[in-house]
Amino acid sequence: MAWFAGYPREKIEWYPTIDPEKCVKCGMCMNCGQKVYKWTKEGPVVAQPYKCVVGCTTCATLCQGNAITFPDKDELRELYRKEGIWAKVKRELIKEGKLEPEE
């Protein structure tokens, strides 16, 4: 997948954190297409953090209680810069023909 260009997903610390004090147990996070969350008697928990799509914050945006947070995007961008991930991703996308204009 071009997102990481061979960089191990487990080395990218991008996943949600839930503040149980703010969580109103609305269930919106359970709509995550990657199944990052699991519902428990106490409410949602982050069960599969490394399945979270790097850079995605949809669950936090929709969280009714504003209980979901993510790491600082600037730290993520710095990792991509430092590891040359952006350049590698672009090369992969060109190779796959995904940056060719559609007719």
Side-chain angles (χ1 to χ4, degrees):
M1 175 187 263
W3 282 93
F4 316 123
Y7 193 80
R9 171 61 180 96
E10 295 75 24
K11 286 187 154 191
I12 302 173
E13 300 215 3
W14 183 269
Y15 43 80
T17 300
I18 303 169
D19 180 340
E21 298 294 317
K22 292 182 178 179
C23 181
V24 297
K25 298 174 183 55
C26 67
M28 287 301 295
C29 57
M30 297 305 293
N31 287 310
C32 173
Q34 299 302 312
K35 301 185 185 333
V36 170
Y37 299 93
K38 177 173 82 173
W39 196 263
T40 69
K41 290 178 183 177
E42 291 78 35
V45 295
V46 178
Q48 299 188 75
Y50 291 105
K51 286 196 169 192
C52 184
V53 174
V54 175
C56 183
T57 60
T58 301
C59 58
T61 301
L62 298 175
C63 177
Q64 198 172 20
N66 290 315
I68 300 172
T69 57
F70 281 87
D72 187 325
K73 280 189 243 179
D74 288 338
E75 291 176 22
L76 177 64
R77 295 175 73 81
E78 176 60 22
L79 172 72
Y80 268 57
R81 187 202 59 74
K82 181 180 143 207
E83 296 296 330
I85 295 172
W86 278 315
K88 292 173 187 173
V89 167
K90 187 164 186 176
R91 283 194 299 272
E92 282 188 24
L93 292 171
I94 290 169
K95 184 178 174 182
E96 294 171 10
K98 292 184 177 177
L99 297 184
E100 293 292 323
E102 292 185 26
E103 295 182 30

